[in-house]
Amino acid sequence: MARIIVVTSGKGGVGKTTSSAAIGIGLALKGHKVVLIDFDIGLRNLDLIMGCERRVVYDFVNVINGEATLNQALIKDKRVSSLSILPASQTRDKDALNKENVGKVLDDLGERFDYIICDSPAGIEAGAMMALYYADEAIVTTNPEVSSVRDSDRILGMLASRSRRAELGLDPIKEHLLLTRYSPKRVEEGEMLSVEDVEDILAIPLLGVIPESQAVLKASNAGEPVILDTESDAGKAYQDVIDRLLGETVEFRFLVAEKKGILSRLFGG
Amino acid sequence: MADASIEFKGSSFTLSVLHLKTTTLADLREDLIKKVAQAPDFFYLVPIVVDIERVDSSIDYQSVKLLVEEFKFTFVGFTGSVAKEQKKLIRELGFSFVNSANSPANNTAKVDTSTKPVAAKPLAEPKNKQAEFVPKLELYTDKIHRGQIRSGQQIYAKGQNLVVIGSVSAGAEVIADGNIHVYGSLRGRAIAGAKGHHQAQIYCQNLEAELVSINGNYWLSESMEQHWSSPAYIHLSDTELVSSKLI
């Protein structure tokens, strides 16, 4: 049985697609068979972040409508062969998906892959509900600021009430908190919520803390998921996330601001 | 009679009761100004019964009626356990006298209908009278919710107390006809005594609520400063909310 993981948040722009891409590649690099699905129909981004936008021929909606087979639509990643991407359609809207057909596609994918990562659109409307409906686990991506935390809280309520698992009375979706764009310096200055604050409000287990990093933007523009940048803090933090997802206990890094030495301070290090 | 254009029926309502502690009109006016200023809309055209039990019979009934009407209440009548002569006088002056459902006079008359043992207060303690016109006091059972109540969720314990084992998030709403207990942080809205239960209380281990309300009296966060971010419970004294330290 494949693990179906939805990457969701409620609020937009918090790093869902960046995280989906990083987690997809990270799991594939560990030797697992992974498929990334872009549920953001009409605003496809995942293929850009993954650097495969020029290879999109058929998409998720074509498969749903029976206009293409999964084999035709799946794009194999050029860096990691065990990773595939099912891109969203740019020309359709979110109403193109329906539960029954999405369920069928997920069943088919489940036979071929170990992990199905669903990159959810923002919001709490039909598209986001579709992305989380079949999930076994949810990675709730949150920025350390109040509106993002509030929206994540809302999504957690949806996960507990609107998913297939909730409707059938099965074990609830396993929830993980992924804090992104974290800046320890700004937390110390009182401008940003701390990890403890967010954990206290959302009350779900912490999967990872990704530090605010220039590397993320660079990686997105280059179509090279940031986890491949093994020198960057963000890349390392995503690596830790993968290890924790696979059941390892890894200490949290990048939670305190680096104390700059006098030399680096003088020379603007 | 079946096709008569009107029909008389008895029905019970919750009415606001204004308890007078003095007959000095200037004092009453001053306190009413303060009270009404707190929530002008809330009191607008609210039907009100004036309880004269705690004041002597020297009261100027006409002036009291005009006073409450001046504050845009809808005057209904007087109430309180007072001597028969006084009731008679009030009626002769042209005002209604409303017998509170659990005043001694009614308790004796309606013994059969009072099915709840708790409600029948000893006659020797009429001053413990309840503010409700509805005598129905129930022994509430508990509705227990395990886990967080998330933003956007609403839980209503109809005819019950609500026990939340977890926190109530900002943007969530918990409502109970009885008491509300939150074993966690209360950051959303809590509405206890929703159907007019004056004794309802709200307990929480961490008070950071957006709003608390008991029997229609409410507080926004700014009124909770005293016990903000600490374990506290909220209750009603007469018509004012009071917060107290829990532990």
Side-chain angles (χ1 to χ4, degrees), chain A residues 150 153-154 156 200-202, chain B residues 148 150-152 169-170 187:
Chain A
R150 176 77 67 98
D153 195 54
R154 187 93 167 88
L156 283 163
D200 183 45
I201 294 172
L202 296 180
Chain B
Q148 299 273 118
R150 305 283 183 185
S151 176
S169 294
R187 299 195 177 98

Side-chain angles (χ1 to χ4, degrees), chain A:
Chain A
M1 273 292 279
R3 272 165 86 179
I4 304 180
I5 303 178
V6 60
V7 179
T8 184
S9 71
K11 196 165 161 38
V14 296
K16 284 181 298 293
T17 302
T18 301
S19 299
S20 301
I23 291 166
I25 290 225
L27 287 169
L29 283 171
K30 294 269 181 185
H32 298 286
K33 285 179 278 178
V34 183
V35 59
L36 276 168
I37 308 179
D38 191 350
F39 271 82
D40 204 348
I41 310 297
L43 290 170
R44 60 173 235 232
N45 284 162
L46 184 66
D47 48 323
L48 287 169
I49 305 282
M50 293 299 294
C52 63
E53 72 275 13
R54 292 174 192 281
R55 298 167 59 207
V56 176
V57 180
Y58 294 107
D59 57 50
F60 192 14
V61 174
N62 293 138
V63 177
I64 291 280
N65 293 344
E67 296 151 5
T69 65
L70 265 178
N71 282 334
Q72 287 174 305
L74 285 173
I75 303 172
K76 245 196 172 109
D77 190 86
K78 283 194 167 160
R79 293 154 295 211
V80 196
S81 62
S82 59
L83 175 68
S84 294
I85 297 125
L86 185 54
S89 169
Q90 184 77 59
T91 50
R92 308 294 283 269
D93 60 40
K94 294 179 174 74
D95 300 330
L97 301 181
N98 66 63
K99 266 183 202 171
E100 195 187 335
N101 292 346
V102 170
K104 270 186 209 152
V105 172
L106 289 176
D107 279 346
D108 286 350
L109 291 170
E111 288 170 15
R112 311 179 185 194
F113 295 94
D114 306 322
Y115 288 90
I116 301 174
I117 313 282
C118 305
D119 180 24
S120 170
I124 53 170
E125 285 81 35
M129 290 304 110
M130 197 62 74
L132 67 77
Y133 185 75
Y134 289 100
D136 301 311
E137 297 182 40
I139 295 176
V140 179
T141 314
T142 308
N143 287 167
E145 50 101 16
V146 282
S147 63
S148 175
V149 173
R150 176 77 67 98
D151 291 358
S152 293
D153 195 54
R154 187 93 167 88
I155 278 289
L156 283 163
M158 302 280 190
L159 287 168
S161 61
R162 303 274 295 274
S163 63
R164 176 179 150 272
R165 284 178 171 269
E167 282 179 7
L168 299 182
L170 304 172
D171 289 343
I173 291 179
K174 193 171 168 194
E175 299 153 341
H176 308 276
L177 173 61
L178 180 62
L179 211 50
T180 52
R181 311 189 72 166
Y182 193 72
S183 167
K185 189 163 158 281
R186 298 185 66 189
V187 172
E188 279 170 23
E189 286 162 3
E191 294 172 4
M192 203 177 245
L193 294 176
S194 69
V195 176
E196 292 77 23
D197 291 338
V198 181
E199 276 188 295
D200 183 45
I201 294 172
L202 296 180
I204 58 171
L206 186 64
L207 177 69
V209 180
I210 313 299
E212 173 91 75
S213 166
Q214 301 294 332
V216 174
L217 182 66
K218 205 176 84 189
S220 297
N221 286 334
E224 285 279 312
V226 70
I227 196 167
L228 296 172
D229 183 353
T230 48
E231 296 301 306
S232 69
D233 286 357
K236 291 176 194 166
Y238 274 117
Q239 200 56 59
D240 291 352
V241 166
I242 301 302
D243 291 338
R244 288 190 200 103
L245 261 184
L246 295 174
E248 286 174 44
T249 309
V250 185
E251 208 172 320
F252 288 91
R253 299 192 265 179
F254 317 114
L255 297 187
V256 280
E258 273 179 47
K259 295 278 179 288
K260 281 191 175 176
I262 182 127
L263 279 179
S264 59
R265 231 181 286 176
L266 278 177
F267 298 110

